Amino acid sequence: MAESIEPAGAREHFDVDHDFIAHLNGECLEWAWMDGEALQRAMQAQGADWYELVQQRCPYLFAAGPVFVSELQLRQMCEVIAAVQEVVGKPEPHTEHGVFYGYDFHLNEQGVHLIEVNTNAGGAFLNALLIDSQHGLFLYGSAVAEGHLEQVFVEMFRNEWRVVRGDAVLKTIAIVDEQPESQYLYPEFLLAQKMFEKVGIAVHIVDPSALQAQGDGLYHDGQRIDLVYNRLTDFDLKQQPHIRAAWEQKQVVLTPNPMHHQRYADKRKLALFTDADALRAKGVSQVSIDALLRGVPQTRLVQVGDAAQWWEERKQWFFKPVSGYGSKGAYRGEKLTRRVFDEIMQADYVAQRLALPDERKVCAAGIEPQSLKYDVRCYVYDGEIQLVAARLYQGQTTNFRTPGGGFALVREVS
């Protein structure tokens, strides 16, 4: 059992803070609604084809209103992120940092809870569009407030190139995913392509099979690819040996890459983050250990020898495959059948103590008022938060199928 360390008075402070935020999120506050007309104009400005694609494929991409979070909650999320950075350490010199890490939190009356870290988190370009349409009002971060997210993103990719290639000019980027045009977030790839092309970088949106390996690197339609923006969920690239080989031979800059997933997103890291003895043995500071024990739900490796105890305690836990993503193969313990439970016991899983998300009441035109779950995602590069967004949803996962749900603005209340 992981130890819990909390400064005197912190519990009372958080209770008061949470009660106020829960009140705001539980009300239909007319003054708090986002400017829906401004969002529609921003979407239409991306072109008729792009706008029609979004309307047809993902009509619930953007939520009907914002989520409120407190200054204290944001500070606690920052503390957890900083602690994770200390545990995983700095990358090797002349290697990529990894773009768009997604730190996903559940917020509730017990505090903020890091549910997982993603190393190919989607949605940043879409959230930038949403945020920019609102003129930065009440939103977190100086780059957000000043409308500089595009510049921040471009500089991030250029820095990924620079740490590997130095002063050479970044000319071509390939956004790579399996059958990208069929992906739910394909509209985001198009936003990224447009952003890069505005600064003179050629962009190819391609399936990995469309990249040809030649003696000096990867090519598409006869053009050499400088950098691959990797959106594949084949995290170790076992199914894409030509991409992995080009990266290992330093013929292409690859971000994020298998090392990033291994360092941050392997679910076994969550167990390390909640093991105080192991953290001390690694030389992690007590400040970071305290932040992790407060901010990461207790996580344990599942072993078949403990099956009887796991079955007895299953309702307290959420079971996740070590190499899973997007809630695939993840199960809330109380809903497990014995057959699925037995399969989990024979596979590579971790169990994370339940930390249920809070809810946001949505009152939008055309739908009945309803309370939706939400999580908060911090998009992070090299340890720094670039933007904070939320996702409103029903059910177990953030599925973008809920009227009134989708990516939501996060408004800080101090």
Side-chain angles (χ1 to χ4, degrees):
M1 183 70 68
E3 62 185 271
S4 178
I5 301 175
E6 198 163 31
R11 176 77 270 148
E12 180 180 357
H13 186 188
F14 193 87
D15 286 342
V16 174
D17 178 82
H18 174 266
D19 290 347
F20 178 57
I21 294 299
H23 168 72
L24 293 178
N25 284 324
E27 297 292 332
C28 292
L29 301 172
E30 294 299 330
W31 61 267
W33 291 130
M34 66 183 186
D35 187 341
E37 292 183 358
L39 174 59
Q40 289 298 311
R41 290 193 298 270
M43 293 170 65
Q44 292 166 354
Q46 305 307 312
D49 291 344
W50 188 89
Y51 184 75
E52 183 177 357
L53 176 66
V54 171
Q55 296 302 305
Q56 291 179 351
R57 180 175 299 186
C58 30
Y60 306 126
L61 191 58
F62 297 115
V67 166
F68 295 100
V69 301
S70 71
E71 182 181 12
L72 174 61
Q73 289 171 324
L74 285 168
R75 184 168 70 249
Q76 291 175 324
M77 286 186 275
C78 290
E79 290 169 354
V80 172
I81 292 168
V84 169
Q85 288 294 125
E86 181 181 343
V87 174
V88 302
K90 293 288 187 181
E92 295 295 322
H94 312 299
T95 59
E96 304 91 338
H97 295 290
V99 297
F100 294 132
Y101 287 6
Y103 286 71
D104 293 344
F105 291 88
H106 284 176
L107 280 55
N108 59 33
E109 61 184 359
Q110 282 79 43
V112 304
H113 310 277
L114 178 68
I115 301 304
E116 63 183 8
V117 182
N118 296 290
T119 51
N120 65 345
F125 296 95
L126 291 162
N127 279 297
L129 174 68
L130 171 62
I131 289 168
D132 286 347
S133 75
Q134 304 300 299
H135 316 296
L137 295 177
F138 306 105
L139 303 172
Y140 177 80
S142 59
V144 169
E146 296 169 10
H148 292 164
L149 280 174
E150 280 199 6
Q151 295 96 311
V152 168
F153 291 169
V154 169
E155 176 56 26
M156 172 176 62
F157 279 89
R158 282 180 167 156
N159 190 63
E160 290 291 272
W161 171 257
R162 189 181 304 119
V163 296
V164 180
R165 293 285 191 264
D167 294 332
V169 178
L170 174 60
K171 297 179 181 178
T172 59
I173 290 176
I175 301 173
V176 179
D177 202 351
E178 292 185 359
Q179 300 179 338
E181 292 186 4
S182 68
Q183 294 292 331
Y184 186 80
L185 291 184
Y186 178 62
E188 174 169 61
F189 298 167
L190 296 174
L191 288 179
Q193 181 182 46
K194 183 176 181 180
M195 183 193 76
F196 289 126
E197 289 180 343
K198 283 198 296 188
V199 295
I201 301 172
V203 176
H204 306 256
I205 303 174
V206 296
D207 184 273
S209 64
L211 295 176
Q212 297 86 40
Q214 298 186 19
D216 60 344
L218 298 175
Y219 284 76
H220 181 256
D221 286 346
Q223 188 171 27
R224 184 179 177 183
I225 301 301
D226 291 333
L227 181 148
V228 170
Y229 172 29
N230 178 21
R231 293 292 291 261
L232 294 165
T233 52
D234 173 21
F235 300 115
D236 56 12
L237 296 178
K238 286 183 178 178
Q239 300 173 44
Q240 315 299 338
H242 61 309
I243 298 178
R244 176 149 192 152
W247 166 61
E248 290 177 336
Q249 296 166 24
K250 296 192 179 297
Q251 295 174 331
V252 69
V253 173
L254 176 66
T255 185
N257 61 49
M259 292 302 298
H260 300 141
H261 183 267
Q262 181 180 331
R263 290 176 64 219
Y264 285 87
D266 185 305
K267 299 296 189 297
R268 285 169 291 206
K269 284 295 175 69
L270 295 169
L272 171 61
F273 296 157
T274 59
D275 185 336
D277 291 338
L279 294 171
R280 290 191 187 100
K282 285 177 61 69
V284 177
S285 69
Q286 191 62 45
V287 170
S288 289
I289 292 174
D290 293 350
L292 291 169
L293 296 182
R294 282 194 301 264
V296 183
Q298 181 188 11
T299 307
R300 293 165 49 191
L301 301 180
V302 172
Q303 298 178 336
V304 67
D306 301 324
Q309 182 180 358
W310 281 122
W311 179 254
E312 182 69 21
E313 298 180 2
R314 68 191 184 281
K315 294 182 181 180
Q316 305 171 33
W317 300 89
F318 199 92
F319 294 84
K320 301 179 178 184
V322 165
S323 59
Y325 66 93
S327 296
K328 293 182 183 297
Y331 300 94
R332 186 167 169 176
E334 68 178 4
K335 298 181 179 180
L336 282 175
T337 64
R338 188 72 203 212
R339 179 187 63 80
V340 174
F341 175 82
D342 290 341
E343 291 175 355
I344 289 173
M345 290 299 108
Q346 299 299 323
D348 289 329
Y349 266 73
V350 300
Q352 187 176 64
R353 196 169 289 279
L354 280 177
L356 299 178
D358 261 354
E359 296 183 341
R360 174 70 168 106
K361 190 172 184 180
V362 173
C363 308
I367 63 173
E368 291 293 322
Q370 59 183 322
S371 292
L372 302 180
K373 300 174 186 176
Y374 71 86
D375 67 4
V376 173
R377 170 171 286 180
C378 298
Y379 291 90
V380 175
Y381 179 65
D382 194 19
E384 298 294 329
I385 295 177
Q386 296 174 316
L387 67 95
V388 180
R391 296 178 294 182
L392 297 177
Y393 62 99
Q394 286 179 330
Q396 180 173 299
T397 62
T398 51
N399 53 25
F400 297 98
R401 301 293 192 275
T402 305
F407 287 120
L409 295 164
V410 168
R411 293 194 167 182
E412 179 183 0
V413 179
S414 57

